Amino acid sequence: MKYHRLVIAAFLVMLLPLSSGLPTYATETPGSQPSDAKKGDVKWTCPMHPHYIASEFGACPICGMDLVKLESDGAAEAASEGQQRTAIVVAPETLQTMGVRIAKAEQTSFGRIVRSFGRISENERLQTEMSARTEAWIEDLRIRAIGDAVRKGDLLFTLYAPEFIVSQRDYLEALSGQSRTRIQSVETRLKAFGMQERTIAELRHSREVMEFVPFYADRDGTVTMIDLRPGSYVKRGTILTRIQDYSQVWLMVSVSEKDLSFIEPGIPARVTFPNIPGREVFAKVEYVYPTIDPATRTGQVRLVLDNKDGQLRPGAYADVAFEVGTEQRLAVPSEAILKSGGARYVVASLGGGRFEPRTVTTGLISGRWTEIGGEIEAGDDIVVSGQFLIDSESALRESFRKLERLQLPLSLLKLDSAQFAMVDHFVDAALYLHETLTDGYQVEPKFLDPAIEVKTLLWPAFQHTRLAFVMEDAVKAIRDAQAAKTDSEVKAALATLVDAVAPWIREGAPDHYREKKIALWKDDGSARMWLQLEGRELNPYGKGSSSMISYSQPAPEEGAASANAAAEEMPSTKPKTMPGHQH
């Protein structure tokens, strides 16, 4: 088992980029140095070739690597559980070229994922149905067809009914007589015939009988059923019209019988839509229906989704992922887990360029997190695997970044007041994330949805400007914040978001944000930035020192070094042109 750990740790060091030259590494055993060891007391082996064993410290004859201690008190002790583990040391200058990413093992809250599908339907709580409670004739009909939009208080139609006229006269006589009992009795009769509170109030104010009784819309919505024509006769009990409000809809999810026992009200769910690529909604279970469909062996679960833009149409399908069995678990990023011979390992960072492989057991996986147990504790630094992979998307994006210097400066972009308000959503999102960290409450994903929509609305006008990069990076950071499960992930998202919007704040519209009293701060230790309203600094990243960044202070990319680099990239034979878009 020990040899497997040594091989994994050595493999981490050997996989250095060839362009950085030969790696500088050494091996270290806590409490013992090669020069202090007595001959015959210890055995030495090569981490890359564990079958080679020597009685003296030296270099491996196969690969030239320094040997590491195998045992200290005989062969029996070498096989025991108490044998010391070897750490690998990487020189700081080499470590900088490796691209190693360090993350912490954290206690985070998550559970297993149950996936299913659902169908959008009308929210029955936002439905109004009007029916005739007496025989009558339709007169002034304002709504004519299914799909007509109405606002709360709009006149829908008027009714002529003899019973209404008689009851109104009785009501006016009761008002004249000042008999409270009789007034309430007649008013109850008017309501029983369907007269609305607003109409009764108008009758009480005008003291005149209404020949044609008006009926008004009780809510905003859309006409979904109507079978009326001007002058048509209706019988008692006839449904006149139905109005549906689509600002919220229900998502009826079919859950397998074996998974239904894990679902209960309040469980979070992530919803995506095949017909709306890129849209993701976070919701919670509102109700679990108590029955099972005998044909499909599934139960129904109901979620409530906001639908202010009307894109979620009843009848459409959605993919749903429930997170059940949520509890605090020790977890690490999934890419940090290494597999070898059926065992699981992580490489721990001991500080000072030292790395050590440790055995772990894995449990549930949720998103990018994997539950672990074994030789790792909360707060331990670990190496996140995948640092040697080439990210082709990042390389392509860097090529476009080089062209960014040729584009119109942010300070010269012309935005109208509506567009300014849209971009301000990114700043609002940064202020909101700062507040969640300093006040200690969880991020509500739906509060960040308006900022994500900004890119869609502004992209046609600004896709070929520097503002496009601001929007792309900001939206990516906001999506990371919506999916964050720990404070460290929220902090990382906040830092990325502020890095994205800082050029716009400082170059694009500094006076605008000075007037709004938005302050830009930087944590001196980590160099991560945040936004807050002017006043006492509230560092979301910890208790370290921090400093306010002046809007007039040049950004890193605006310094002399960047200017020189830009000049070197421009061909000297090109004639000078006026600032503007280059294609």
Side-chain angles (χ1 to χ4, degrees):
M1 181 66 70
K2 175 184 175 185
Y3 294 147
H4 285 300
R5 298 169 185 162
L6 296 176
V7 170
I8 293 173
F11 182 72
L12 174 68
V13 178
M14 294 299 292
L15 283 179
L16 293 173
L18 295 177
S19 60
S20 64
L22 292 176
T24 302
Y25 57 85
T27 55
E28 168 188 285
T29 302
S32 175
Q33 296 296 332
S35 59
D36 298 333
K38 296 181 181 179
K39 294 182 179 180
D41 291 342
V42 295
K43 298 292 185 182
W44 303 86
T45 187
C46 174
M48 294 298 293
H49 303 90
H51 59 275
Y52 176 77
I53 299 175
S55 58
E56 296 182 1
F57 174 76
C60 174
I62 303 174
C63 63
M65 232 179 138
D66 287 347
L67 301 182
V68 296
K69 187 190 294 186
L70 176 62
E71 61 183 2
S72 57
D73 292 314
E77 184 176 339
S80 68
E81 291 292 335
Q83 186 178 3
Q84 292 180 321
R85 181 184 286 108
T86 300
I88 290 181
V89 181
V90 182
E93 60 273 15
T94 304
L95 188 61
Q96 292 180 359
T97 67
M98 294 175 60
V100 173
R101 291 188 295 119
I102 305 296
K104 288 187 179 294
E106 300 184 52
Q107 288 285 348
T108 183
S109 179
F110 66 88
R112 66 186 291 257
I113 302 298
V114 174
R115 300 186 183 278
S116 189
F117 67 94
R119 182 177 56 83
I120 302 294
S121 67
E122 294 87 354
N123 185 339
E124 295 178 6
R125 292 195 178 97
L126 303 181
Q127 189 178 90
T128 297
E129 193 172 85
M130 305 181 73
S131 58
R133 301 186 184 182
T134 182
E135 295 182 351
W137 285 262
I138 302 295
E139 289 298 326
D140 187 8
L141 181 63
R142 299 294 180 89
I143 52 175
R144 296 298 183 93
I146 292 176
D148 286 353
V150 298
R151 306 286 293 179
K152 183 177 180 179
D154 286 354
L155 176 63
L156 302 178
F157 51 81
T158 59
L159 282 180
Y160 172 79
E163 291 179 329
F164 268 135
I165 295 176
V166 173
S167 297
Q168 288 181 78
R169 289 172 179 167
D170 291 345
Y171 185 61
L172 295 178
E173 290 177 3
L175 291 175
S176 301
Q178 300 295 320
S179 173
R180 186 174 183 84
T181 302
R182 188 183 176 196
I183 291 174
Q184 290 180 345
S185 175
V186 180
E187 188 172 313
T188 301
R189 190 197 317 162
L190 288 172
K191 292 179 180 178
F193 287 147
M195 185 175 286
Q196 297 171 321
E197 290 280 0
R198 174 178 172 178
T199 308
I200 295 175
E202 292 176 0
L203 176 63
R204 187 165 53 245
H205 176 74
S206 66
R207 300 297 177 101
E208 293 182 0
V209 174
M210 300 178 186
E211 184 176 1
F212 301 104
V213 178
F215 283 81
Y216 303 97
D218 291 334
R219 65 170 71 249
D220 297 347
T222 303
V223 175
T224 59
M225 192 284 290
I226 183 172
D227 191 18
L228 300 176
R229 295 294 181 271
S232 59
Y233 168 76
V234 293
K235 296 181 179 179
R236 187 191 306 270
T238 302
I239 298 177
L240 303 177
T241 186
R242 184 181 299 116
I243 298 174
Q244 178 68 51
D245 183 358
Y246 291 107
S247 62
Q248 277 189 342
V249 293
W250 282 352
L251 178 60
M252 307 301 293
V253 185
S254 299
V255 179
S256 172
E257 183 179 8
K258 65 182 179 62
D259 294 325
L260 196 60
S261 59
F262 298 107
I263 309 297
E264 58 186 23
I267 283 180
R270 181 173 60 87
V271 185
T272 55
F273 306 91
N275 63 322
I276 313 176
R279 181 157 183 173
E280 187 176 70
V281 176
F282 293 88
K284 293 184 178 180
V285 174
E286 183 192 51
Y287 181 67
V288 180
Y289 288 82
T291 58
I292 298 270
D293 185 341
T296 61
R297 309 309 302 170
T298 59
Q300 291 291 305
V301 174
R302 187 172 72 215
L303 284 69
V304 179
L305 307 180
D306 288 332
N307 187 33
K308 300 297 184 182
D309 57 5
Q311 289 191 359
L312 306 182
R313 304 175 185 275
Y317 280 94
D319 295 318
V320 185
F322 298 98
E323 189 170 351
V324 301
T326 302
E327 60 183 57
Q328 287 289 322
R329 307 173 190 272
L330 179 62
V332 298
S334 299
E335 60 266 35
I337 307 295
L338 303 175
K339 302 177 183 179
S340 177
R344 302 291 186 271
Y345 303 90
V346 296
V347 177
S349 175
L350 307 180
R354 296 183 302 155
F355 299 93
E356 180 180 82
R358 294 183 182 175
T359 306
V360 295
T361 56
T362 58
L364 293 181
I365 299 175
S366 177
R368 60 180 292 265
W369 291 93
T370 297
E371 180 185 15
I372 65 165
E375 300 177 350
I376 291 292
E377 298 180 356
D380 286 353
D381 289 329
I382 61 170
V383 177
V384 178
S385 64
Q387 61 269 33
F388 306 110
L389 298 179
I390 298 176
D391 189 346
S392 58
E393 180 180 351
S394 297
L396 182 61
R397 184 174 179 80
E398 182 62 25
S399 298
F400 284 107
R401 287 291 188 184
K402 293 179 180 178
L403 297 177
E404 184 180 355
R405 298 187 183 94
L406 304 178
Q407 295 176 333
L408 194 67
L410 290 172
S411 58
L412 298 182
L413 293 182
K414 302 299 182 183
L415 279 70
D416 58 31
S417 58
Q419 292 169 333
F420 255 118
M422 293 181 193
V423 178
D424 281 350
H425 277 304
F426 294 136
V427 177
D428 293 340
L431 294 173
Y432 172 69
L433 294 181
H434 172 265
E435 182 178 284
T436 64
L437 291 169
T438 55
D439 290 354
Y441 60 87
Q442 291 184 340
V443 173
E444 188 68 34
K446 68 179 182 180
F447 290 167
L448 297 172
D449 284 337
I452 292 178
E453 297 297 326
V454 169
K455 178 186 172 185
T456 303
L457 297 172
L458 294 182
W459 190 256
F462 299 99
Q463 61 180 319
H464 299 302
T465 70
R466 292 189 181 190
L467 188 57
F469 296 103
V470 173
M471 293 189 293
E472 283 185 332
D473 292 345
V475 168
K476 182 179 183 301
I478 291 170
R479 291 191 186 280
D480 290 343
Q482 287 183 318
K485 295 181 178 295
T486 64
D487 281 351
S488 66
E489 291 183 315
V490 177
K491 292 176 182 177
L494 172 60
T496 304
L497 176 57
V498 177
D499 284 343
V501 300
W504 167 251
I505 292 175
R506 299 171 64 191
E507 180 188 346
D511 294 336
H512 174 74
Y513 294 104
R514 284 195 191 99
E515 292 177 359
K516 290 182 174 292
K517 301 186 182 301
I518 302 296
L520 180 64
W521 288 79
K522 180 180 73 173
D523 180 76
D524 293 335
S526 64
R528 293 188 292 186
M529 297 186 292
W530 77 88
L531 293 176
Q532 68 172 70
L533 296 178
E534 291 181 357
R536 182 174 62 89
E537 64 93 4
L538 298 172
N539 191 338
Y541 303 119
K543 298 182 179 179
S545 62
S546 57
S547 54
M548 183 183 294
I549 301 176
S550 171
Y551 283 0
S552 60
Q553 179 181 347
E557 64 271 20
E558 297 169 349
S562 295
N564 293 337
E568 291 174 2
E569 290 178 2
M570 292 288 293
S572 58
T573 57
K574 260 192 180 177
K576 294 183 179 180
T577 59
M578 294 295 291
H581 298 291
Q582 303 293 323
H583 299 283

